[in-house]
Amino acid sequence: VKVVVIGAGVIGTTTAYYLSRAGCQVTVIDEHLAPGLETSFANAGQISYGYAGPWAEPGLPLRALKWALSKDSPLTIRPDGTLWQLYWTLLMLRNCTRQRYALNKGRLVELAEHSRACLKELRHSVDLEYEGRRRGTLQVFRTGRQFKDAAKDIAVLDKHGVQFELLDVEGCIRAESALRYVRHRIVGGLRLPDDETGDCHLFTTRLADIARARGVSFWLGAKVETILLQSCRLTHVVVQEQHLEADHFVVACGVRSRDLLKKIGLRIPIYPVKGYSITVPIVDPDASPVSTVMDETYKVAITRFENRIRVGGMADVVGLDCRLNDARKRVLEKSLTDLFPFGGDPERATFWAGFRAMTPDGPPHIGPTKYPNLWLNTGHGTLGWTLACGSAQLLAQMIVGYAPAHLN
Ligand SMILES: Cc1cc2nc3c(=O)[nH]c(=O)nc-3n(C[C@H](O)[C@H](O)[C@H](O)COP(=O)(O)OP(=O)(O)OC[C@H]3O[C@@H](n4cnc5c(N)ncnc54)[C@H](O)[C@@H]3O)c2cc1C
């Protein structure tokens, strides 16, 4: 079976790998000259099964109003000049009810747990080094109010059987010893011991190498301009005026999936929600985090790599505006220097922005479309790497015709 996968981010690359394992002959096409150069390039480094959940939750509308008044707000909304932005925002607000949140959270947790099993199996099957660590996530609270509000998250974790530890200040310091320098700044934390971390770009490039060794071909520096249909089936993609044939096609184009699909009359509700990261060289390992620390105040994740600290977060609903915003960088730096003042050197930080492909309800689109040989693996939003292996394994199973594993 010949399959073309469009997109060599973490989602397209994992899809290609699992399709190859399922016996398919796979070609991956990407506009960039190497895999993983777009949103998968410098994300926050979390593989957080426990925090997989929709942004659309019951408290969001009120919080968004409060954040609108704060200059360091984790969320910014600015009209992008399209009605699509307004429509998507309304769809998202419609998902902020208790019932829809429970349904969407359940779907995401189920996919995340499947991904956990797939990544574990993958690590056993191949030699894959991506500065990975398995030392949990610690969400730190700076105010009693944040600590109290965690009760809602705990109830959800409990319901879905996710392991957690509620910690006082000393407990946080036992988990992340560098917090000893700032014990006066924190009041406690919530730790998910089974979460993991690593560098998503390294993961993607190394998995692409493994896929190549299995026979997957990568056509890089090549943009898919359009997809051609004949009697409701896809026949070719058009790339640099050449036609490439296949039995099946997978769209894994992240935020650009919507535009490509629109050309063949398919509409998927994905909006590009911008986020930022800084990557800082470590100057004192003993004063650096050992894993991911989530700063609840700024909704920022601070993750330890081997010799670097990655700090990522923020959500700007501003369209595909690629400009780097220095005010957002300062928030990331502040979060880092508040919690790990002596660990890294922010003066030597590299600054990056990327776009999460967000669906209004949270769960991604994985599976068939109205065209029998066109498949989607896109819309993974805030935790696409976390969900990548499970999504790819499920889609590969569907394409080769095995019974798809059950998902709601
Ligand atoms: C600030 C930030 C922090 C994040 N932190 C985390 C985290 O800690 N953990 C986590 O799990 N997730 C995180 N995410 C989300 C995660 O990074 C994304 O969900 C994931 O990278 C999406 O992967 P993708 O393959 O779908 O998209 P991408 O990586 O964007 O890949 C899509 C690819 O498709 C290609 N493409 C598009 N259109 C075409 C075309 N027409 N022809 C050819 N090629 C095309 C692009 O060139 C691109 O390479 C974060 C995101 C952001 C922005």
Side-chain angles (χ1 to χ4, degrees), residues 11 30-32 39-40 43-46 224 256 381-382 384-386:
I11 299 295
D30 199 291
E31 202 180 336
H32 289 291
T39 311
S40 307
N43 72 23
Q46 290 177 274
V224 172
R256 286 185 289 131
T382 54
W385 183 24
T386 304

Side-chain angles (χ1 to χ4, degrees), residues 171-220:
C172 291
I173 293 170
R174 271 196 299 280
E176 286 284 355
S177 67
L179 291 174
R180 67 190 180 279
Y181 295 115
V182 295
R183 66 174 72 232
H184 58 286
R185 287 220 165 96
I186 60 177
V187 300
L190 177 63
R191 179 163 182 265
L192 307 190
D194 296 334
D195 279 358
E196 306 179 21
T197 57
D199 182 334
C200 180
H201 174 241
L202 264 186
F203 177 91
T204 308
T205 46
R206 304 238 160 117
L207 189 63
D209 290 342
I210 290 167
R212 272 193 197 96
R214 296 188 57 90
V216 172
S217 59
F218 283 77
W219 186 359
L220 299 170

Side-chain angles (χ1 to χ4, degrees), residues 318-335:
V318 297
L320 270 175
D321 173 350
C322 298
R323 282 172 296 183
L324 289 168
N325 176 337
D326 276 340
R328 302 310 249 166
K329 183 175 182 223
R330 282 193 290 277
V331 179
L332 297 175
E333 284 168 355
K334 177 153 177 44
S335 175

Side-chain angles (χ1 to χ4, degrees), residues 89-157:
T89 308
L90 292 175
L91 287 179
M92 189 176 187
L93 290 174
R94 236 181 53 188
N95 278 284
C96 290
T97 63
R98 219 169 276 285
Q99 292 85 339
R100 285 187 191 229
Y101 174 74
L103 181 71
N104 294 326
K105 173 81 186 172
R107 286 176 171 157
L108 281 164
V109 168
E110 198 177 343
L111 179 57
E113 285 305 317
H114 182 58
S115 271
R116 181 205 298 279
C118 291
L119 178 56
K120 190 171 170 199
E121 189 277 336
L122 178 66
R123 269 196 308 261
H124 283 123
S125 330
V126 293
D127 185 14
L128 187 55
E129 172 47 46
Y130 51 94
E131 299 194 15
R133 292 176 170 224
R134 298 198 286 287
R135 301 184 67 166
T137 298
L138 175 67
Q139 183 181 16
V140 293
F141 305 122
R142 302 197 196 197
T143 64
R145 179 64 199 254
Q146 288 172 355
F147 209 158
K148 226 171 97 202
D149 285 351
K152 152 179 97 11
D153 296 335
I154 289 166
V156 174
L157 295 171

Side-chain angles (χ1 to χ4, degrees), residues 198-249:
D199 182 334
C200 180
H201 174 241
L202 264 186
F203 177 91
T204 308
T205 46
R206 304 238 160 117
L207 189 63
D209 290 342
I210 290 167
R212 272 193 197 96
R214 296 188 57 90
V216 172
S217 59
F218 283 77
W219 186 359
L220 299 170
K223 181 173 181 182
V224 172
E225 299 296 345
T226 192
I227 305 174
L228 296 183
L229 290 162
Q230 207 172 53
S231 317
C232 283
R233 278 185 77 81
L234 270 63
T235 52
H236 304 85
V237 287
V238 182
V239 186
Q240 294 169 343
E241 296 176 8
Q242 296 180 50
H243 287 196
L244 185 67
E245 273 181 351
D247 302 307
H248 294 277
F249 298 84

